[in-house]
Amino acid sequence: MNEIKLYKKPIKAISLLAISNVFVVLGIWGIMREGNSGFEIFIAYLTIFFFGLGIAVGFFHLFDKRPQIIINENGIWDRTTNLDLIEWELIQDAYPINIYGQIFISLKLDRSIEITVKQYKWASYLSSKINAQKINLSLGQIKIDYKRLNEFILKMSRLEKTERAVEIKNVAQHGI
């Protein structure tokens, strides 16, 4: 079975590593400096700890080679949604939303299917205010033209299963 696999772009992880390293060095400098008060040393250790975690997360994202999104003839699987597979038959509409520079594709699904995504009341309220759905594909770390991906998702949701296999094979060879 042909699949389209979308991976994280490494530039986000590299920028997180660079910024975290700067602050860790500043924290070390803060400890090594003479004449510090106890509070200044505490802040320096806190800075090292916090941005040290940023270094760990940056390395994890840099070396994580698992696909973020997999698209095949049966549906879409996204690691961030905690769902097994979003089948094409369930997708009624898809549209991009921009939340502070982060691009998402909101998937409006068939209401007859119960989605087990649990949201807090405040998260549901915010989602309704920004016109988001319960299922949103995060594209912030993926290098892809979100408009073309959105058009592709809409097209695939309207095709028959046999036509989807041909379309996936074509896109897997030529790209989205």
Side-chain angles (χ1 to χ4, degrees):
M1 176 174 11
N2 289 317
E3 295 178 326
I4 301 168
K5 295 180 180 181
L6 304 175
Y7 295 93
K8 295 177 191 174
K9 54 186 173 184
I11 192 70
K12 295 266 186 170
I14 291 169
S15 63
L16 178 62
L17 284 169
I19 291 169
S20 295
N21 278 321
V22 167
F23 282 101
V24 166
V25 168
L26 286 174
I28 292 170
W29 174 77
I31 291 171
M32 305 296 278
R33 209 174 56 162
E34 292 183 20
N36 286 341
S37 67
F39 181 73
E40 289 172 332
I41 291 174
F42 172 75
I43 294 298
Y45 275 115
L46 194 63
T47 301
I48 291 170
F49 175 74
F50 181 75
F51 288 101
L53 289 175
I55 291 172
V57 169
F59 275 122
F60 174 77
H61 285 292
L62 185 63
F63 295 114
D64 184 18
K65 299 301 178 196
R66 298 175 295 173
Q68 186 74 20
I69 297 174
I70 298 175
I71 302 171
N72 61 30
E73 62 192 49
N74 298 321
I76 302 172
W77 178 80
D78 181 12
R79 278 189 17 210
T80 62
T81 60
N82 296 325
L83 295 174
D84 290 335
L85 184 72
I86 304 164
E87 297 175 359
W88 293 116
E89 291 82 13
L90 300 177
I91 299 173
Q92 292 180 338
D93 193 15
Y95 53 90
I97 57 174
N98 185 336
I99 303 172
Y100 293 108
Q102 297 294 317
I103 304 295
F104 295 85
I105 293 184
S106 272
L107 300 177
K108 185 176 181 184
L109 302 180
D110 187 3
R111 295 259 185 229
S112 64
I113 303 302
E114 181 63 31
I115 304 298
T116 58
V117 175
K118 294 183 180 182
Q119 286 185 331
Y120 294 107
K121 287 183 181 180
W122 61 268
S124 295
Y125 174 76
L126 288 176
S127 292
S128 67
K129 290 297 180 190
I130 60 172
N131 201 22
Q133 299 293 322
K134 281 190 174 182
I135 305 299
N136 301 294
L137 305 177
S138 174
L139 303 179
Q141 293 192 14
I142 299 173
K143 185 178 182 180
I144 192 163
D145 181 2
Y146 70 91
K147 292 177 184 175
R148 291 180 64 198
L149 178 62
N150 188 60
E151 291 171 4
F152 178 72
I153 290 171
L154 288 171
K155 181 178 181 181
M156 290 294 288
S157 68
R158 290 172 175 83
L159 291 176
E160 295 297 322
K161 186 168 184 158
T162 55
E163 296 170 323
R164 287 187 201 128
V166 173
E167 186 67 24
I168 290 287
K169 185 177 181 181
N170 184 33
V171 171
Q173 292 174 350
H174 300 94
I176 291 181

